[in-house]
Every structure is written in C-alpha cells, then in structure tokens.
Amino acid sequence: MSLSPSAEAVDVAANLAEVSARIAAAAEAAGRSAAEIELVAVGKGHDAARVEAALAAGHRVFGENRVQEVAGKFPALRESHPDLSLHLIGPLQTNKARQALEIFDVIETLDRPKLARALAKEMAALDRQPRCFVQVNSGEEPQKAGVAPNETDAFVALCRDELGLTVEGLMCIPPIDEEPALHFALLREIAKRNGLTKLSMGMSADYETAIRFGATHVRVGTAIFGTRPPRP
Ligand SMILES: *Cc1c(COP(=O)(O)O)cnc(C)c1O
C-alpha cells in the first residue's frame, strides 16, 4: 500500500519534546511519576520519513492501525532500529492474526472471542507471546469495536485464564461527542476489578485528562506527526 507523502512541514522532534513535557506536567499534577506513562507515537497514514524523524529524536514506541500499512513501512525501520516497539491500535481481522503476531509487539485491540481464539492458536504455532490489551467499547457505540463494559470481566477471564493470553490492561476510544473523563474513569474501574494495571487511553486532544485518570499508555498521533494526509 502506498501512502500520500506527508507534505505539511512538521518538526517531529520539537513536537515530541512538547508532548513529553506535557505528559510530565500532567503526571506531576496528578501526583504520579512520568516514568509510569508510555507515549505511543501514532504514525498511521504518514510515510516512513515521519517515523524516522521520531526515531532520530530517540523515540522508540509506535502505534499503527493497519497491518498492511505496517508490513510496507516498518521492516526497514526495524532493521535500523531493532529496539523499536510496535503497538497495533486498529481492528484486527482473524485471517491476519498470524501476520499481526509477526509484526507487532503489543496488540491493543483484542475485542472478541473469535480473535482471541485465533491469536491463541497462532501464538502457540509461532511461539510468540505479544502483550495484549482488551479494547472496551466504553460508549457502547454500535459502529465501534470493543467489548461492552458489562461483558469485559467474562472476556478478560476467557483470554487470560482459559486461552493463556498475556492480557496486561484495557484500552478505549471514547465517543467523540462525549466528555472523555467519564470513559477514562469507567475503564479504570473495570481494570481495577479485574486486577489489570495498564490503561491505554488518551489521544492528542485528551491525553492530559487521561493521565489524570490513570492512563499508563497514551496514543498520540496528530500532536506529534501533524495532520494525516488523505488516504489514497
Ligand atoms: C489515530 C488514533 C490515535 C491517535 O489520534 P490523534 O488524535 O491523531 O492523536 C489514537 N488511538 C487510536 C486507536 C487511533 O486510531
């Protein structure tokens, strides 16, 4: 898959520094250590040059939402930076489970039993055990992926206890027209009662709020890489 070139001039290093400073300030205001918060830089839709700029600035943790795009973009970047870490933050089709396991270090979008079973099977075959987050559809939006809040406990139990997946935490994408804090608080509560310590929540517009509610992973795209070019 080819990507439109990222034409807009953007200083990725300066943006990374600013977002990191804001994360540190938000953590401090919440009485937390900035070291507990991982910045996942979301380069989806941007060409490899943008990601290279972040790598050159010392950043190593990235998020992408399409297996196909990553298969084209990341092999060369991994070669030059074997220590980079890649999170899948978009929906995963069951028939791409194996490919996703080969490419990603963390799967943040574990969202249905069929996918959990496919991943468990492929993990055994490949002898790879990526870390997973269960995606919760906190706003119960029909068009959005994720497990319903009241089904999350049972789904976590299936993934973790029955299938042996490494479930580290929960992830959510709040509805765009609602106060995100309510969703962040809900995610924190569901994680707590399931003994999960990691929370992936917060994007460019609301990562500081998410940190106030306990985010351990914030997924930030636009504030680092600029506006995404239109999909070809
Ligand atoms: C695109 C995307 C992000 C980053 O969004 P920005 O608003 O550009 O920071 C974060 N999480 C998910 C799941 C995404 O798809």
Side-chain angles (χ1 to χ4, degrees):
M1 194 182 107
S2 64
L3 293 165
S4 312
S6 305
E8 182 198 18
V10 164
D11 188 339
V12 170
N15 289 348
L16 270 171
E18 163 152 10
V19 171
S20 301
R22 283 178 175 234
I23 289 173
E28 194 186 1
R32 304 180 57 201
S33 158
E36 327 170 349
I37 298 151
E38 184 129 76
L39 171 58
V40 180
V42 178
K44 68 179 186 202
H46 289 289
D47 54 32
R50 284 282 152 99
V51 178
E52 266 164 25
L55 285 164
H59 198 76
R60 290 295 179 271
V61 183
F62 297 92
E64 290 280 344
N65 70 340
R66 292 187 180 209
V67 175
Q68 268 342 89
E69 181 176 327
V70 173
K73 196 155 108 181
F74 269 86
L77 298 171
R78 270 219 196 261
E79 194 120 321
S80 53
H81 298 87
D83 57 339
L84 74 75
S85 165
L86 203 48
H87 292 225
L88 176 63
I89 60 165
L92 179 56
Q93 291 169 259
T94 314
N95 64 6
K96 295 216 177 90
R98 174 177 290 245
Q99 200 183 2
L101 289 175
E102 286 165 348
I103 298 179
F104 291 96
D105 304 285
V106 180
I107 293 179
E108 294 205 15
T109 48
L110 184 52
D111 63 356
R112 57 198 194 279
K114 192 173 171 221
L115 177 63
R117 292 184 195 285
L119 284 170
K121 192 168 144 235
E122 297 296 351
M123 279 184 194
L126 292 172
D127 195 22
R128 266 179 68 83
Q129 189 79 345
R131 294 174 279 143
C132 297
F133 285 69
V134 165
Q135 181 176 358
V136 180
N137 187 356
S138 62
E140 304 194 57
E141 298 172 276
Q143 83 288 3
K144 202 170 264 176
V147 196
N150 65 0
E151 288 167 7
T152 305
D153 298 5
F155 184 64
V156 168
L158 167 75
C159 294
R160 191 171 53 187
D161 308 332
E162 201 175 309
L163 299 173
L165 301 178
T166 309
V167 178
E168 290 203 322
L170 303 179
M171 177 270 215
C172 78
I173 310 168
I176 42 172
D177 54 355
E178 285 182 28
E179 172 53 57
L182 300 172
H183 297 269
F184 298 154
L186 174 64
L187 201 70
R188 176 173 64 182
E189 184 191 306
I190 300 172
K192 192 167 173 218
R193 69 171 184 243
N194 282 282
L196 297 169
T197 55
K198 302 273 171 36
L199 291 170
S200 174
M201 54 192 199
M203 314 191 345
S204 290
D206 54 20
Y207 64 93
E208 288 154 299
T209 306
I211 288 168
R212 190 146 51 82
F213 283 87
T216 59
H217 293 68
V218 291
R219 310 176 308 267
V220 180
T222 312
I224 296 170
F225 295 110
T227 312
R228 285 177 281 277
R231 295 226 168 247

